[in-house]
Amino acid sequence: MNTADLGLPVTVPSTALFTDQYELTMLQAALRSQNADRRSVFEVFTRRLPEGRRYGVVAGTGRVLDAVENFRFDETMLGFLRERGILDEPTLEWLAGYRFRGDIWGYPEGEVYFPGSPIMRVEGTFAEAVLLETVILSILNHDSAVAAAASRMSVAAGERPLMEMGARRTHELAAVAAARSAYVGGFHTTSDLAAGFRYHIPTVGTSAHAFTLLHDTERDAFTAQVDTLGRGTTLLVDTFDVTEAVRLAVEVAGPELGAVRIDSGDLLLVAHRVRQQLDELGATHTKIVVTSDLDEYAIASLAAAPVDAYGVGTQLVTGSGHPTCSMVYKLVARAQSDAPDAPLRPVAKKSLGGKTSVGGRKWAARRLDEDGVAEAEVVGVGEVPEELAGRQLLVPLVTGGKVVAREPLDAARERHIAARAGLPLSATQLSRGEAVLPTEYL
């Protein structure tokens, strides 16, 4: 993959085996039944938001584009499939030349979504489109879950900066994706250097309790850190006694001390005490950073506290209790024959238990009220009503197999802020409720 356009420092390896086996066995059977070349439309959507959530956040689109572009089988992979007896030789030969040559439309990254929103639409032959199901869902389900949690935390934090620091709480590769999604959702920095390297996200970090415990005294630890990182550094003050540590921190660094970090205890009470002490010591510009297993509710509870920034780890990278968005990838239309001009026929699964789907190649638009605030997510098949034509949500992402929608990560971040601001005010309330917009089908 050529990443020169965005100045990205690393490339993405083949994603061809980031899939479930049944994608490949379906391909083999479709080739044998001579239906593999039927033009098909798959859509990604979720039937419901996580319990209590008011909106979802689309994240991972850029990673999906990388994954699709790099979904190709080399000789080693084909050898693995051959040795396991998973596929026959005609199918292996077909995979050797696989490139996705279809079209992908989708909600742009950072946009919000609701139950039934056609977040992504993949169009091509059945054979080339079905193979992408697992990798697309694995990216969108994870990244959108983290971005939704990040968005809620961003709302709770207001203007105060948020630092992502969850790398040690998840898989090492998931940590990089989580940092990226957190940035889309409103976080400002990450502690994960791989995320900073790969996506140019600003990185932060100073010291942990181990650094203080390494030294003979807390003064020695503070002195070493200030001598190395300067007076503007952040000193961790809750290893032993917070009051004494704050006194030492200001004594060592002076009133120019950048910040102190509190990682335990009653954060609301301790923050007030530390702020008072800093002010009395003349360190009126020294900031207070709090960490300690925060989520959106804990952040909201600190709104009135003299806190200047938050560091969030576990709850962020696990979606704050909802680590997946339950998105699915369903065939919604297919051609009546394998002729290139054969008309599309809507198809849908019929089932009980809330797993029903709506057939047909869909468009989506967001209807606004007279004040310009979103009032409904409108999803339809066929012609788009004139009054909604300018409010369509899906944009081209891949055309004829070529990626056409790469963009800097900051563009997705800014888009999310704008999309969230266009929702009814109740969308940003942390109290549990239904989706803030109804989904209407035309």
Side-chain angles (χ1 to χ4, degrees):
M1 170 188 142
N2 182 3
T3 59
D5 289 346
L6 293 183
L8 299 180
V10 294
T11 57
V12 177
S14 172
T15 53
L17 293 185
F18 291 169
T19 191
D20 291 306
Q21 180 170 313
Y22 81 164
E23 314 289 10
L24 301 183
T25 53
M26 281 194 287
L27 166 67
Q28 177 172 296
L31 288 170
R32 188 167 297 182
S33 70
Q34 299 185 338
N35 286 301
D37 290 333
R38 282 197 179 191
R39 192 159 51 99
S40 300
V41 180
F42 288 83
E43 288 177 354
V44 177
F45 62 94
T46 186
R47 297 182 177 96
R48 64 192 65 84
L49 296 178
E51 184 181 357
R53 296 288 172 88
R54 315 303 295 272
Y55 62 91
V57 181
V58 178
T61 308
R63 297 208 307 122
V64 167
L65 298 181
D66 290 343
V68 170
E69 196 169 55
N70 290 280
F71 199 98
R72 53 194 63 184
F73 295 82
D74 61 26
E75 286 303 317
T76 302
M77 294 176 178
L78 295 172
F80 163 76
L81 296 171
R82 181 179 291 109
E83 291 165 9
R84 292 289 181 95
I86 294 171
L87 299 174
D88 60 20
E89 282 303 319
T91 306
L92 293 170
E93 291 176 11
W94 189 92
L95 288 176
Y98 177 83
R99 301 290 186 275
F100 180 74
R101 296 182 173 86
D103 301 330
I104 299 178
W105 292 68
Y107 282 37
E109 190 158 19
E111 183 59 84
V112 296
Y113 71 87
F114 301 91
S117 297
I119 296 163
M120 188 168 287
R121 190 175 72 220
V122 181
E123 305 181 21
T125 65
F126 177 84
E128 64 182 342
V130 74
L131 293 184
L132 300 177
E133 175 181 4
T134 301
V135 70
I136 287 177
L137 288 179
S138 66
I139 292 172
L140 293 181
N141 268 312
H142 172 269
D143 289 23
S144 296
V146 174
S151 179
R152 287 164 59 84
M153 293 174 188
S154 175
V155 168
E159 298 299 319
R160 297 171 178 177
L162 288 161
M163 298 174 288
E164 184 280 318
M165 45 198 306
R168 64 191 63 193
R169 301 295 189 233
T170 188
H171 185 279
E172 65 273 18
L173 298 182
V176 181
R180 181 186 184 281
S181 299
Y183 190 72
V184 171
F187 273 59
H188 300 78
T189 56
T190 179
S191 66
D192 190 278
L193 290 177
F197 178 70
R198 176 70 178 86
Y199 297 114
H200 294 171
I201 301 170
T203 57
V204 292
T206 51
S207 68
H209 294 103
F211 183 76
T212 300
L213 296 172
L214 167 69
H215 293 81
D216 293 334
T217 68
E218 198 166 34
R219 178 188 292 274
D220 290 343
F222 288 171
T223 300
Q225 183 173 326
V226 170
D227 287 347
T228 303
L229 301 178
R231 297 177 185 273
T233 191
T234 299
L235 295 176
L236 181 58
V237 295
D238 72 331
T239 306
F240 303 116
D241 179 83
V242 173
T243 301
E244 176 62 15
V246 171
R247 186 191 67 78
L248 280 174
V250 176
E251 187 174 306
V252 170
E256 298 85 7
L257 174 62
V260 295
R261 178 163 73 95
I262 307 166
D263 188 52
S264 60
D266 183 336
L267 297 179
L268 178 62
L269 176 62
V270 175
H272 277 287
R273 287 178 174 173
V274 168
R275 180 73 270 160
Q276 180 179 352
Q277 185 181 7
L278 288 170
D279 291 346
E280 290 173 350
L281 293 170
T284 56
H285 296 292
T286 299
K287 298 184 183 301
I288 296 175
V289 178
V290 296
T291 51
S292 187
D293 205 24
L294 300 174
D295 62 9
E296 60 266 49
Y297 300 103
I299 292 170
S301 73
L302 293 168
V307 171
D308 298 288
Y310 305 94
V312 189
T314 303
Q315 293 300 319
L316 176 63
V317 299
T318 57
S320 195
H322 299 288
T324 180
C325 301
S326 299
M327 293 179 186
V328 294
Y329 184 97
K330 296 299 181 183
L331 180 66
V332 296
R334 52 94 170 162
Q336 293 184 9
S337 71
D338 59 5
D341 58 349
L344 287 173
R345 171 187 173 187
V347 295
K349 169 185 177 179
K350 292 183 179 180
S351 65
L352 302 175
K355 282 196 170 185
T356 56
S357 303
V358 178
R361 180 183 184 272
K362 300 175 196 68
W363 51 264
R366 193 159 295 150
R367 191 174 69 239
L368 308 183
D369 64 17
E370 58 185 15
D371 296 318
V373 177
E375 65 176 9
E377 193 89 336
V378 184
V379 177
V381 176
E383 188 173 347
V384 182
E386 183 178 349
E387 66 273 16
L388 294 175
R391 302 294 309 170
Q392 292 191 72
L393 293 163
L394 281 84
V395 299
L397 302 174
V398 176
T399 302
K402 180 179 176 58
V403 173
V404 296
R406 277 210 177 85
E407 61 183 4
L409 196 58
D410 280 322
R413 175 187 172 86
E414 292 166 6
R415 180 181 296 115
H416 176 62
I417 293 171
R420 190 176 64 198
L423 296 177
L425 186 59
S426 58
T428 58
Q429 294 175 345
L430 294 182
S431 56
R432 293 181 178 274
E434 299 300 319
V436 73
L437 295 186
T439 303
E440 300 177 359
Y441 291 94
L442 297 182

